[in-house]
Amino acid sequence: MAAFAVSWSDQFAGGGGACEGLERVPGTVVVMAGNHARHAVATYEANHPKVRVDCADLSQVVPSAWPRTNAMWSSPECTWHTKAHGKAHGHGEFVDGLFSTTGTDEAVIRSRATMHCVPRFAEYHQYQAIVVENVVEARHWGPKHNRGAAFDAWLSSLRVWGYKHRILYLDSAHVAAYGEAASCVRGRMYVVLWHESVGRKPDFDKWTRPWVLCARHGRVQALQSWKYTALCSPQRPWGLHGDQYEWRCPDRRCATTSLLPIAMRGGREAVDWSRPGRIIGDRYLGPRSAKTWSKIQDGHRKYGAAPFVVEMRGGGSTHRALSSPLSTITAGGNHHLLVYGDAQDVRDRYTRLLDVHERKVAMAFPEGYKLIATEEKKSDQEKQLRSLVGMAVTPNVSRDIGCMVSEFITGEPLEPAVPAAA
């Protein structure tokens, strides 16, 4: 493949997760990136010094100010599509009538309006391909009485400019076609758009179906099997692995058996074992830590002397073995409590929170990837670093989707790896 055969723009670029993966694709270069946060821009520039980075509110940027590229990756703000801050948010509409005192939630509207930057730039640049990454809940963007209507209208605005599309629901722990998977769970929606003028479409099966080990057929590329729930079905695919879909052997005789990708990696691989912890008996025996203490005890009974992670969040989260990927890493806080040590009495074992750099490695960033904060107060610095990791695109996904887009644009094949059986 010729040098720099495919050029990319990186919209809502964060600290450079998409770029880190895209530039692992042979013949790929990221030319231009943009983000509004100074600490994200500083991190991007430190790790990708050859990329021109625009620190700006992209909703106010004129598309002609950016250079033309073959493709664009866009990760519009996702916070207000989810149950952020512990509660579900509406569309931002008046909830009690036009003259109500509740008014509209301008923060919600402005956040979700970042999605409209995609068709604005597509109209001007006519990219050959576009990838839009967001949380799965973004598929239901719209008012309560018409779930998903705003998202459908957004897709229609891109069809006007000649784009076809396919929506992928992928977990970063499963994506390993052109390298290793992430060692944490991270389910996201990826809207892949391609311009009809190219005359072909991306090879989705080659790059998005993970290899699994079937008892009857050996190594096979799995099919995504969708459940029937209130929000999805095989005819209306949407959602997260485990909740809404499973991976299964493509042979119908094996269709009832749920399988996990061979390439899945355990959270153990992200742990820095040189970092010291504290004795559990010195920290988690008081009434203020009753829930955490209960989870620690339960994990100790289940895993014995093996190290494990207690999940410090609400809902049904409890603990998981380090042989499994870590639970989803978010920008909101420290949720992964490591328990280790070979003492028989759980009170004599050690514990500590995984730090931001370990969580960065779990998200498939290299150990040497620099994270830069711009605030003066240490607490604010830590918040910025957590947001850089918790809101990042996992590079292994942008790498594999980048491979698929590169093949589509150039017509030159890349060969994915077939993992060895476990």
Side-chain angles (χ1 to χ4, degrees):
M1 182 180 294
F4 304 147
V6 179
S7 57
W8 285 81
S9 298
D10 189 1
Q11 203 181 59
F12 306 101
C19 180
E20 179 66 22
L22 291 171
E23 291 197 333
R24 296 175 189 175
V25 181
T28 291
V29 61
V30 177
V31 175
M32 184 76 195
N35 198 74
H36 68 281
R38 288 187 297 113
H39 64 286
V41 169
T43 297
Y44 203 117
E45 290 177 331
N47 294 282
H48 305 285
K50 294 183 179 180
V51 181
R52 176 185 159 196
V53 187
D54 189 3
C55 186
D57 176 357
L58 293 183
S59 66
Q60 304 302 310
V61 172
V62 178
S64 60
W66 280 33
R68 291 194 181 276
T69 55
N70 301 116
M72 180 174 73
W73 186 287
S74 184
S75 298
E77 191 170 349
C78 65
T79 303
W80 300 99
H81 285 290
T82 64
K83 292 183 178 180
H85 312 299
K87 64 177 182 178
H89 294 276
H91 178 59
E93 68 273 21
F94 287 90
V95 294
D96 297 320
L98 181 60
F99 299 104
S100 72
T101 57
T102 56
T104 59
D105 191 334
E106 295 293 340
V108 174
I109 293 173
R110 283 181 59 82
S111 172
R112 290 175 173 175
T114 58
M115 291 281 283
H116 294 301
C117 289
V118 178
R120 278 202 311 116
F121 276 67
E123 175 186 356
Y124 179 82
H125 287 282
Q126 289 289 284
Y127 302 104
Q128 291 167 286
I130 301 171
V131 181
V132 181
E133 178 260 359
N134 215 305
V135 293
V136 299
E137 291 86 352
R139 178 63 185 87
H140 297 147
W141 175 26
K144 294 177 182 178
H145 68 276
N146 198 1
R147 188 195 305 267
F151 183 87
D152 291 338
W154 174 81
L155 276 179
S156 294
S157 70
L158 284 158
R159 283 195 290 269
V160 166
W161 302 111
Y163 289 95
K164 299 180 179 180
H165 78 279
R166 179 170 169 181
I167 302 176
L168 306 174
Y169 298 96
L170 300 174
D171 195 306
S172 298
H174 305 160
V175 179
Y178 204 70
E180 291 187 327
S183 53
C184 68
V185 170
R186 192 172 185 82
R188 288 293 185 270
M189 175 182 72
Y190 301 89
V191 185
V192 180
L193 301 117
W194 63 96
H195 203 277
E196 59 188 5
S197 64
V198 180
R200 53 181 174 268
K201 71 175 185 178
D203 189 343
F204 290 97
D205 285 348
K206 179 178 179 179
W207 292 102
T208 65
R209 289 172 55 187
W211 291 87
V212 296
L213 189 61
C214 173
R216 179 178 292 176
H217 299 99
R219 287 180 299 180
V220 295
Q221 277 190 287
L223 285 177
Q224 216 165 14
S225 177
W226 293 93
K227 302 178 182 180
Y228 286 90
T229 74
L231 295 175
C232 86
S233 69
Q235 295 74 38
R236 296 181 297 112
W238 170 87
L240 301 172
H241 178 259
D243 294 335
Q244 282 85 28
Y245 73 87
E246 304 283 357
W247 293 111
R248 302 187 189 277
C249 175
D251 191 301
R252 291 186 178 181
R253 293 172 295 176
C254 309
T256 59
T257 303
S258 176
L259 301 169
L260 291 174
I262 296 170
M264 282 178 59
R265 301 166 62 210
R268 174 189 293 274
E269 298 186 32
V271 175
D272 179 358
W273 295 102
S274 67
R275 292 193 59 230
R278 290 176 58 183
I279 296 290
I280 287 176
D282 294 340
R283 289 189 75 179
Y284 292 110
L285 302 185
R288 292 180 62 186
S289 58
K291 289 184 178 179
T292 301
W293 175 230
S294 177
K295 291 180 180 181
I296 291 172
Q297 287 179 297
D298 190 52
H300 180 69
R301 285 190 293 268
K302 182 171 183 178
Y303 307 114
F308 63 95
V309 168
V310 169
E311 297 171 0
M312 305 278 283
R313 46 166 61 102
S317 298
T318 53
H319 45 68
R320 66 178 63 200
L322 279 174
S323 57
S324 299
L326 299 178
S327 60
T328 301
I329 293 167
T330 68
N334 299 315
H335 296 140
H336 300 85
L337 182 70
L338 175 66
V339 176
Y340 65 103
D342 55 6
Q344 295 295 315
D345 190 331
V346 64
R347 292 171 294 184
D348 294 329
R349 299 186 76 181
Y350 294 90
T351 183
R352 67 172 178 82
L353 290 167
L354 296 185
D355 70 13
V356 68
H357 293 284
E358 290 170 304
R359 299 199 296 273
K360 172 192 73 179
V361 172
M363 289 270 287
F365 284 87
E367 289 189 15
Y369 201 86
K370 301 171 185 175
L371 301 176
I372 297 176
T374 57
E375 291 289 345
E376 294 183 3
K377 290 175 60 179
K378 185 176 180 181
S379 60
D380 291 335
Q381 290 176 0
E382 292 174 351
K383 182 178 180 180
Q384 285 187 338
L385 297 180
R386 288 199 302 268
S387 71
L388 283 170
V389 174
M391 299 181 72
V393 174
T394 43
N396 64 306
V397 180
S398 60
R399 175 202 65 210
D400 284 12
I401 292 179
C403 286
M404 181 176 69
V405 169
S406 181
E407 275 195 347
F408 161 74
I409 290 175
T410 66
E412 299 180 22
L414 291 169
E415 290 306 315
V418 179

